[in-house]
Amino acid sequence: MDNLTEDHQERNIGIDGHINIGNLGGETNHNFDTEKAASTPVLAREELGEKDMSPVAGNSMHRSSSRPQLDLSGAAIQGNFEEKDPTILLPNQSDDISHLALDIGGSLIKLVYFSRHENQPVNDRRRKIIKARLGITNSNRMSYPILGGRLHFVKFETAKINECLDFIYSKQLHRGGMDSRHWQSESPNTENTIIKATGGGAYKFADLFKERLGISIEKEDEMNCLVAGANFLLKAIRHEAFTHKEGQKEFVQIDSNDLFPYLLVNIGSGVSMIKVDGDGIYQRVSGTNVGGGTYWGLGKLLTKCKSFDELLELSQRGDNRTIDMLVGDIYGGMDYSKIGLSASTIASSFGKAISENKELEDYRPEDISLSLLRMISYNIGQISYLNALRFGLKRIFFGGFFIRGHAYTMDTISFAVQFWSKGQAQAMFLRHEGFLGALGAFMSYEKHGLDDLMVHQLVERFPMGAPYIGGNVHGPPLGDLNEKISWMEKFVQKGTEITAPVPMTPPGTTGLGGFEVPSSKGDTLRPDASKLNVGVLHLVPSLEVFPLLADPKTYEPNTIDLSDPGELEYWFTVLSDHMPDLVDKAVASEGGTEDAKRRGDAFARAFSAHLARLMEEPAAYGKLGLANLLELREECLREFHFLDVYRSIKQRENEASLAVLPDLLMEIDSMDEETRLLTLIEGVLAANIFDWGSRACVDLYHKGTIIEIYRMSRNKMQRPWGVDDFDVFKERMLGSAGKKPHQYKRALLFVDNSGADVVLGMLPLARELLRRGTEVVLVANSLPALNDVTAMELPDIVAEAAKHCDVLRGAAEAGGLLVDAMINIQDSPTRERSISVPLMVVENGCGSPCIDLRQVSSELAAAAKDADLIILEGMGRSLHTNYNAKFKCDALKLAMVKNQRLAAKLINGNIYDCVCRFEPAS
């Protein structure tokens, strides 16, 4: 905090150095229309896979253990928020791998390439001790080479294939990438290099790739790639699929155990309908020659449009009622209610042209385009449903160049499926569908294996990267920090604001038959008219589902629903208002240099662009919760090399708090058991006020010192609290008449902020549990977020506290926390050498103020196996997320509510009200 000085310790402790508690109080496929329906299922090539942990039954794809695999440890999505398709990070991959795969279509080239990631840190002694105590081994690691880095997704127009070739050459992807050890000789040889590719262009442009890059293209079957890519995405990415009805997107979580069979409808020039029965098992069951080529061909003849996108853009401003014959046109404006048809239902596409004495030029091109679009979309939707009905399939996934993210196209297809199935089947779409073929081609390398990846091992992130001007992405993603900042500075110099894409008007409908106007109209049509962005996909096999969740399938971490416009607007305002202070802290943390100021300005503009994008389209990044939004901010800071914004502030607060800890512990020890327990819980609640993520609390920091604020907070500890289950917890801990005290074996304490929060709040509570014979595991962030304490920082804090407390010292020694710490304390005859229960520290696997328990570190998962008590402390971990979470063991949720809106909504209370929620094992 700004006004914290070195002498805080002296002037806040009191004359005698004693702290008086009593005064403290209280996410384009190609056409297959020329292919013949297969009479028997086609078995795709064996897929490959590897991961860093034992597979969960029924939740992963088949593994081939006979060849090098893709290491998914540390993997995650990490792409530009402007680009619709993400980059996949594979942090631990070896050099022994092909780095490029393509899907070369008639209109677009989809490219998937691999780049390495920085080396992972080596475990220190303390971590090895913790792993040994928790029984964490590497025995399930593969003995063959593994992958590590990112999978990037890039699009190019096929007509501009030379741009794609230049891009491949510039990044040396045909030689293993810029960071490969193999290509940097004076005369690198690519004569034997083979690149996997699918699509018609794999044949058409093979000679060009050989001539320009000296590489050979190995053609992969399109349908094999298509199915392999779809299966991977549907199994491995949470909320990959979504429905699109009347302009509204709804993301669907699909149980991988209940995925098959499904119908995959690929709409290219023509349409193929593929029944997928399992990994590598599929059959083309039907199709139609009326597809995207039909729309584009007829549209070109009738409207003189020069491109597919131009034709789609015309449809945005069309009115099909001037050309289509509706039910109402036949029945004098009336519905045909007897058979369930509304007056607005299309009775005959282009039917009005029969009775009207008009020439082609008398009709608006916009109306012709819309009528064509609806005719073909409805036709495809109906045929798809009939095939689904034929095989008893409930799920139908649509993809291909025809859809290309166009919202109205998805609406019409969805309406047709809904209408003909009477709601028994639904149309679904994939966020990554444009890269199914390229991803499948990438997976076909015999050294790759994505098939063992599970949904909890992927994290999607949305960093800045490519220039984003007027809603258009110019060129491939930017990777270099200076390149990003240079773009932003040029952007600012031009006096142009970072703008979000053109908003679309709300949908309109006129009954059962169809839409009166397109569901997605606007001044311009973006290629991504569905307004969905796809981030970078980080693959992290070291992530696990928290084993103590009562029901992982129904668990929803986020308490706040950002799909609510009011909530999104509120948090947009909160984060925007907090921006100046955050930038100041970020720049100060880097010494206030000109470079730091430059990066701080770039961060502010980048994160503001994220917020503007979300305000324009809340579902742009998929199903986003508050935890994701806050992590987005932290990732954006890290992208601009601000690794720990509050580092110096945390250090000063820790020092000030540690200075008074001995006196606090002394006074606590003088209390009787019941008073002591209440005081400890009050201490946790009071100390939780120190939160740099709260505007109300930041204002407080400018009015008082850390101890003064802590004292004020204690004075407000008036029961009953907003949620007050203390008496129930006390009975569990201490027992009551006829009930014995419960002896907990291991407690997981999810800590929050640095300073008083952890030192004066959670450490004393941990100490009490240790004295009662309970093993204690302090669970902290893997990466910095605001002023939250990290697992890297905690051992030093514990070591400092242990200088003056035998209980903490003995437990810390048993837990391996002091092996790297220099602590000088004098042995004394009274030192408690009998302490054997350990105090341990583990990482939670995240770098956000909130936590998603579907994705935690392997360390935390291992520690949880023997735990029978969970204590979640702080607003982010126990209120913003996990307030409604149910566990297999006892759970105590503690927080001071530092947000008036949340206080009113969650507990019908006020700011600074407290939550002490105790929930016995489910």
Side-chain angles (χ1 to χ4, degrees), residues 815-834:
L817 294 181
L818 303 186
V819 293
D820 297 321
M822 298 297 294
I823 60 173
N824 300 310
I825 74 171
Q826 297 296 321
D827 284 340
S828 67
T830 60
R831 180 182 166 194
E832 301 179 24
R833 296 180 179 276
S834 60

Side-chain angles (χ1 to χ4, degrees), residues 308-464:
F308 192 93
D309 281 337
E310 183 184 354
L311 185 62
L312 272 179
E313 188 170 347
L314 282 179
S315 73
Q316 297 287 107
R317 304 186 296 274
D319 184 352
N320 68 295
R321 294 172 300 180
T322 65
I323 294 181
D324 290 343
M325 182 182 293
L326 309 181
V327 168
D329 296 324
I330 299 174
Y331 293 99
M334 303 293 290
D335 295 340
Y336 194 171
S337 56
K338 184 176 180 179
I339 59 174
L341 297 178
S342 72
S344 62
T345 302
I346 299 175
S348 176
S349 294
F350 290 88
K352 281 186 178 177
I354 300 173
S355 57
E356 294 177 338
N357 188 23
K358 293 182 179 180
E359 299 296 328
L360 177 60
E361 55 270 19
D362 295 326
Y363 293 99
R364 296 173 65 238
E366 294 88 346
D367 301 341
I368 293 173
S369 176
L370 181 58
S371 182
L372 267 176
L373 181 63
R374 296 189 63 175
M375 176 182 75
I376 293 169
S377 297
Y378 281 144
N379 181 266
I380 294 171
Q382 180 178 8
I383 296 175
S384 299
Y385 163 67
L386 292 175
N387 276 281
L389 180 64
R390 173 186 169 199
F391 294 101
L393 307 176
K394 298 297 184 183
R395 294 195 187 99
I396 312 173
F397 297 100
F398 292 84
F401 180 81
F402 176 67
I403 294 176
R404 61 198 291 116
H406 190 215
Y408 189 81
T409 305
M410 292 188 286
D411 274 344
T412 53
I413 291 174
S414 297
F415 176 82
V417 172
Q418 174 82 11
F419 178 85
W420 292 107
S421 71
K422 292 181 171 57
Q424 295 304 302
Q426 59 180 342
M428 287 186 284
F429 308 89
L430 304 177
R431 296 180 65 215
H432 294 72
E433 66 88 16
F435 283 90
L436 297 186
L439 182 56
F442 186 83
M443 294 171 66
S444 70
Y445 284 106
E446 291 192 352
K447 293 176 182 177
H448 293 238
L450 291 168
D451 50 323
D452 226 15
L453 189 64
M454 292 182 285
V455 64
H456 59 267
Q457 297 168 328
L458 288 98
V459 179
E460 188 173 17
R461 297 193 176 108
F462 298 89
M464 288 292 295

Side-chain angles (χ1 to χ4, degrees), residues 31 38 104 118 135 185 211 325 376 418 421 526 569 752 837 867:
N31 65 59
I104 312 176
E118 58 272 13
S185 59
E211 176 187 343
M325 182 182 293
I376 293 169
Q418 174 82 11
S421 71
R526 294 167 31 242
E569 183 176 1
D752 189 13
V837 291

Side-chain angles (χ1 to χ4, degrees), residues 502-563:
V502 178
M504 303 298 187
T505 59
T509 183
T510 56
L512 188 64
F515 299 96
E516 185 175 305
V517 294
S519 294
S520 299
K521 299 191 71 174
D523 296 331
T524 62
L525 175 71
R526 294 167 31 242
D528 175 25
S530 69
K531 298 175 288 185
L532 286 172
N533 294 69
V534 181
V536 180
L537 192 61
H538 295 255
L539 314 170
V540 192
S542 59
L543 292 180
E544 300 188 29
V545 177
F546 189 57
L548 292 177
L549 286 175
D551 186 0
K553 290 184 179 180
T554 60
Y555 167 77
E556 169 54 53
N558 293 287
T559 306
I560 304 299
D561 183 7
L562 291 184
S563 63

Side-chain angles (χ1 to χ4, degrees), residues 33 137 148 150 255 303 339 350 442 532 601 620 735 746 842 852 855 866 884 900:
D33 52 320
T137 67
R150 296 183 176 101
D255 185 348
T303 68
I339 59 174
F350 290 88
F442 186 83
L532 286 172
D601 180 67
R746 178 182 291 171
V842 301
D852 183 342
Q855 296 176 305
D866 292 323
N884 300 316
Q900 180 60 59

